[in-house]
Amino acid sequence: MTVQTERPPSGPTAVPPRTGEGPGKPPAAGRIGALAPYLLMLPAVVATLVFLGWPLINNGILSFQNLNMRQLIQHLTEWNGIDNYRDVLTGSDFWRVTGRSIVFMAVNVVLIMILGTLVGLLLARLGKRMRVALLVGLVLAWAMPVVASTTVYQWLFAQRFGVVNWVLVQLGFDGMADYNWMGTQFSTFFVVTLLIVWQSIPFVAINLYAATTTIPKELYEAASLDGANAWKSFTSVTMPFLRPFLYATTFLEIIWVFKAFVQVYTINQGGPDRLTEILPVYAYIEGIGNQHYGMGSAIAMLTIVLMLILTAYYLRIVLKQEEDGR
């Protein structure tokens, strides 16, 4: 008697899927890997919300209150709506200080970017020893605390026994003996601008020097074979690589100079006669100095809005130029 049986299929045996891992569903390791960037960002986000977001919310709440020393002592909360903003925006002082702040920021950023770029390009052309020496000097200037460097500049430009006045007298400028550099608006801004530019050049120079190290040397060799001179090589090879770094660095310098409170206030407290106040100093003097805390908070919020508008306008120009360059 012959028994006929079916032969098993010759193809590979299908393995049933594991529990929880059906078709189209990524494994657990893949899901954890997808969440890893967000988990790494979580501590920074939490720290930003705690140390920046919460004070900003409190400042916004105070800007809608009539908060002076009496209310502060008696723990009173007097809401006055938008009165603080209306008083600030309808007054001439705020707009005068705003215009002064924008001009001050523009002058400083232009000087910082020009001088910092030149120093960065110089670092790329120097020999190893001179480059290291210059980098050490830049890092030391950059690492110096702001208050300490501002105090040094106060000593340098002191009316009596100041180094700058002494050097000018030795050079034959006898009228500069006992000259008060903090006596006029222009001379005070000159000292502050010199200080801020000196503090900012190291960041720009080191950033631009690091950018030059990413440029392939083969491009310069190809440009030289095509007969390009030094200026042509700079405009056709160096600048296209440096442009993104210049955009990012300029953006950071705009923010840093616009909120340069420490330098301006420490040099002369916004004087003489409040003629060198910029918006952060103006907000501090009105809020803390004159004890109009609600008014100072309103000025601070308007300063933030104005800075956001300026940076948004700058980013719009940058993005438009990038689109036109494509």
Side-chain angles (χ1 to χ4, degrees), residues 72-100:
L72 191 64
I73 294 175
Q74 297 180 0
H75 301 283
L76 298 177
T77 301
E78 296 182 5
W79 299 94
N80 60 356
I82 61 172
D83 288 349
N84 292 329
Y85 291 95
R86 184 174 60 247
D87 293 341
V88 172
L89 294 175
T90 55
S92 60
D93 291 340
F94 174 77
W95 298 109
R96 188 183 306 112
V97 175
T98 299
R100 182 189 303 150

Side-chain angles (χ1 to χ4, degrees), residues 113 117 203-215 237-253 314 318 322:
M113 293 308 301
T117 301
F203 173 75
V204 178
I206 295 174
N207 193 19
L208 266 295
Y209 167 66
T212 59
T213 60
T214 64
I215 304 176
V237 178
T238 307
M239 277 305 297
F241 277 88
L242 295 185
R243 191 174 289 113
F245 294 90
L246 288 172
Y247 288 155
T249 307
T250 304
F251 174 73
L252 295 175
E253 290 299 329
Y314 171 74
V318 170
E322 289 183 352

Side-chain angles (χ1 to χ4, degrees), residues 36-48:
Y38 302 99
L39 295 176
L40 293 174
M41 291 174 57
L42 184 61
V45 173
V46 172
T48 301

Side-chain angles (χ1 to χ4, degrees), residues 68 109 209 244 284:
N68 297 323
V109 171
Y209 167 66
Y284 177 81

Side-chain angles (χ1 to χ4, degrees), residues 105 109 249-259 311 314:
M105 179 267 297
V109 171
T249 307
T250 304
F251 174 73
L252 295 175
E253 290 299 329
I254 288 174
I255 297 175
W256 193 76
V257 174
F258 197 82
K259 61 183 186 68
T311 53
Y314 171 74

Side-chain angles (χ1 to χ4, degrees), residues 14 46 55 142-143 169 174 263:
V46 172
W142 191 17
V169 170
D174 296 333
Q263 296 89 335

Side-chain angles (χ1 to χ4, degrees), residues 89-228:
L89 294 175
T90 55
S92 60
D93 291 340
F94 174 77
W95 298 109
R96 188 183 306 112
V97 175
T98 299
R100 182 189 303 150
S101 302
I102 294 175
V103 173
F104 174 75
M105 179 267 297
V107 171
N108 277 272
V109 171
V110 169
L111 291 175
I112 290 168
M113 293 308 301
I114 291 176
L115 297 176
T117 301
L118 293 176
V119 175
L121 296 175
L122 177 64
L123 284 170
R125 301 298 296 270
L126 288 175
K128 184 176 180 180
R129 292 183 178 179
M130 290 299 298
R131 184 188 302 126
V132 171
L134 183 55
L135 281 173
V136 170
L138 291 173
V139 171
L140 290 176
W142 191 17
M144 191 173 184
V146 178
V147 175
S149 57
T150 305
T151 304
V152 171
Y153 267 71
Q154 285 180 314
W155 294 341
L156 291 174
F157 290 90
Q159 182 176 2
R160 298 187 64 186
F161 311 112
V163 176
V164 174
N165 286 348
W166 180 83
V167 171
L168 292 175
V169 170
Q170 300 303 313
L171 293 176
F173 299 95
D174 296 333
M176 298 303 295
D178 295 334
Y179 179 76
N180 184 12
W181 289 92
M182 311 304 166
T184 64
Q185 181 187 33
F186 178 80
S187 60
T188 304
F189 267 133
F190 173 80
V191 176
V192 175
T193 300
L194 192 65
L195 169 62
I196 292 177
V197 170
W198 176 79
Q199 291 175 331
S200 304
I201 283 177
F203 173 75
V204 178
I206 295 174
N207 193 19
L208 266 295
Y209 167 66
T212 59
T213 60
T214 64
I215 304 176
K217 295 182 179 180
E218 292 80 4
L219 296 179
Y220 290 106
E221 295 175 358
S224 178
L225 292 175
D226 291 338

